[in-house]
């Protein structure tokens, strides 16, 4: 019988194990896109990641017989607590073998840590907020993820529900094939024409000569548009500057549309090339033995990128219900057509954002993928699994760090509960697309930004 232990991450070796676990979880998954290890290290480093200047994060690892089989992050974001729920903590970065016991102990460790800080609910997964990846894939496992959208094994939803979680909110993704002439449906074009005929309304692409000023306007619009959106938190100046640095190499000016009303910024939309199509070729590494093999592969694969993702749309409250979304969508789709892209993804859109989902359908969108946010109170698991919760005592475990659990393994119901060891290596969004409804967006990771953009030269 192999013992299971869940421990807080301590030191570089644990961080490395945390980062490399997905290589074992997804070893046989043809659709997984490996993130760049150096980017993941920066993301988890409190000295380099801007989130750590705002919130608090504790990472945990689950080991069975010394082999890492799971991981999780417990997250406290004071912005969320102030804006939405003072008693709710978050969790994220969850990865696990098909091992219900390991999953249960990981969720318990995160819940205990949050409970010690006075937080009585858990919501997630987030990485570490709605400004980054969030949700669990529950439908649409038949293809690789688009940039900044999560991907996970099909057994994850069962792990969540088996550990006392319930659905909090679904996040929908729509695929929009490019029409042969690049034109949106007539009803959308008419709405765009009406919006542009209003006095003082102008839609234009990003001006590279005014890059900083235009992006400052985007930040102002973003924080206004999402102020009341589900689970949203405002971006700080440091977070936004970090985002801009990561995005700049891959932003196509034609795909960032800005609306001005009487000269004042009123709305924006941002579409990005799906850099995951190139990133897959690197297998998580830019260099091998000092040779830039990953960069070369990314550069070659980048020439075949044929998809964009509409990452975010934002409209200031006083300018909603004026057809500005239609105007921006029309200009962005025409630009994507000229640049040679074959389809776009609108993601994610909240399931109860009925206006945005109707709009996605109106522009020819096909609903093809669903991600889910889960919630639970910290005591739910122990009520659901009393036998496992009592299978170890402090005396059994001996003197361990906080949140360590160690106990005999019950017979594993699934042979996939243990993972092959990873190879040793050197290693919203389109979101709410309808006027009048704000949506979530994501802080891009450098794996989809700087390194990839440098290899691609910004070309589709």
């Amino acid at each position: 019988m192999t013992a299971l232990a869940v421990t807080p991450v301590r030191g570089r070796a644990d961080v490395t194990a945390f980062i490399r676990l997905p290589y074992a979880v997804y070893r046989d998954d043809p659709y997984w896109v490996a993130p760049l290890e150096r980017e993941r290290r920066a993301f988890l480093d409190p000295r380099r990641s801007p989130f750590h200047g705002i919130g608090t994060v504790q990472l945990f690892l689950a080991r069975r017989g010394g082999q890492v089989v799971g991981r999780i992050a417990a997250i406290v974001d004071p912005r969320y607590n102030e804006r939405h729920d003072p008693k709710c903590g978050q969790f994220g970065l969850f990865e696990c073998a098909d091992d219900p016991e390991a999953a249960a102990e990981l969720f318990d460790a995160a819940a205990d840590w949050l409970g010690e800080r006075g937080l009585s609910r858990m919501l997630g997964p987030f990485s570490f907020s709605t400004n980054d990846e969030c949700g669990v894939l529950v439908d649409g496992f038949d293809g690789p993820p688009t940039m900044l959208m999560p991907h996970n094994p099909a057994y994850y939803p069962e792990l969540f529900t088996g550990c006392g979680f319930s659905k909090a909110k679904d996040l929908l993704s729509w695929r929009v094939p490019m029409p042969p002439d690049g034109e949106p449906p007539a009803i959308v074009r008419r709405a765009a024409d009406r919006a542009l005929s209003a006095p003082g309304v102008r839609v234009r692409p990003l001006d590279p000569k005014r890059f900083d000023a235009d992006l400052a306007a985007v930040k102002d619009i973003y924080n206004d548009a999402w102020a009341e959106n589900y689970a949203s938190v405002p971006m700080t100046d440091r977070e936004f500057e970090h985002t801009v640095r990561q995005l700049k190499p891959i932003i196509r000016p034609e795909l960032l549309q800005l609306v001005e009303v009487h000269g004042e910024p009123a709305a924006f939309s941002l579409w990005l090339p799906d850099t995951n199509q190139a990133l897959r070729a690197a297998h998580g590494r830019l260099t091998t033995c000092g040779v830039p093999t990953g960069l070369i592969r990314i550069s070659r694969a980048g020439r075949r990128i044929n998809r964009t993702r509409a990452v975010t749309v934002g409209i200031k409250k006083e300018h909603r219900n004026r057809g500005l979304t239609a105007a921006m969508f029309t200009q962005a789709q025409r630009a994507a057509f000229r640049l040679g892209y074959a389809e776009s993804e609108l993601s994610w859109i909240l399931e109860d954002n009925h206006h945005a989902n109707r709009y996605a359908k109106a522009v020819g969108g096909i609903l093809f993928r669903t991600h889910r946010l889960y919630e639970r109170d910290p005591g739910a698991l122990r009520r659901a699994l009393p036998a496992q919760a009592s299978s170890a005592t402090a005396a059994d475990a001996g003197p361990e760090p906080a949140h360590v659990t160690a106990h005999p393994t019950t017979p594993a119901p699934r042979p996939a509960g243990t993972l092959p060891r990873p190879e040793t290596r050197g290693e919203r969004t389109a979101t709410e697309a309808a006027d009048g409804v704000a949506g979530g967006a994501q802080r891009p990771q450098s794996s989809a930004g700087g390194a990839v953009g440098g290899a691609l030269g910004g070309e589709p």
Side-chain angles (χ1 to χ4, degrees), residues 51 178 207 431 443:
F51 179 85
M178 184 65 70
D207 184 350
T431 302
R443 175 169 55 80

Side-chain angles (χ1 to χ4, degrees), residues 235-429:
M235 293 187 77
T236 65
D237 290 343
R238 187 181 172 207
E239 282 183 304
F240 189 79
E241 290 165 4
H242 182 82
T243 297
V244 170
R245 285 197 301 272
Q246 309 306 340
L247 276 183
K248 191 171 184 178
I250 62 171
I251 288 178
R252 300 302 308 265
E254 306 94 320
L255 298 179
L256 198 166
Q257 297 292 322
L258 287 158
V259 177
E260 297 171 338
V261 178
H262 299 297
E264 294 296 322
F268 79 96
S269 70
L270 174 62
W271 295 21
L272 293 172
D274 179 17
T275 50
N276 267 9
Q277 291 181 293
L279 189 62
R280 291 181 72 190
H283 307 298
R285 303 178 66 187
L286 293 179
T287 61
T288 302
C289 300
V291 179
T293 52
L295 284 170
I296 293 169
R297 293 189 188 112
I298 288 173
S299 181
R300 290 173 177 170
R303 303 185 189 112
R304 298 189 293 274
I305 292 177
N306 65 354
R307 181 190 307 117
T308 65
R309 179 178 168 221
V311 177
T312 182
V313 175
I315 302 173
K316 285 189 173 181
K317 297 179 182 69
E318 63 267 30
H319 295 294
R320 294 176 185 168
N321 303 311
R322 301 179 60 168
L324 299 184
T325 298
M328 291 186 292
F329 181 91
T330 298
Q331 296 302 319
Q333 181 163 294
R334 288 170 177 170
F337 177 74
R338 291 193 299 269
L339 292 169
Y341 295 105
E343 67 178 24
S344 298
E345 178 176 315
L346 310 182
S347 61
W348 41 264
I349 299 176
L350 293 169
E351 62 175 329
D352 52 1
N353 188 339
H354 305 299
H355 294 290
N357 286 299
R358 283 197 297 268
Y359 190 91
K361 186 177 292 188
V363 298
I366 302 163
L367 179 61
F368 78 108
R369 196 162 284 164
T370 301
H371 293 78
R372 179 165 295 167
L373 293 173
Y374 286 93
E375 62 184 350
R376 76 164 224 203
D377 71 276
L381 175 60
R382 289 183 175 82
R383 290 195 298 271
L385 300 172
Q388 289 168 337
S390 61
S391 60
T393 65
D396 295 330
E400 298 276 9
H403 305 304
V404 173
T405 57
H407 48 76
T409 304
T410 54
R414 299 174 183 145
T418 56
L419 292 169
R421 292 185 180 273
E423 296 175 2
T424 301
R425 302 170 50 254
E427 114 128 275
R428 226 155 12 168
T429 346

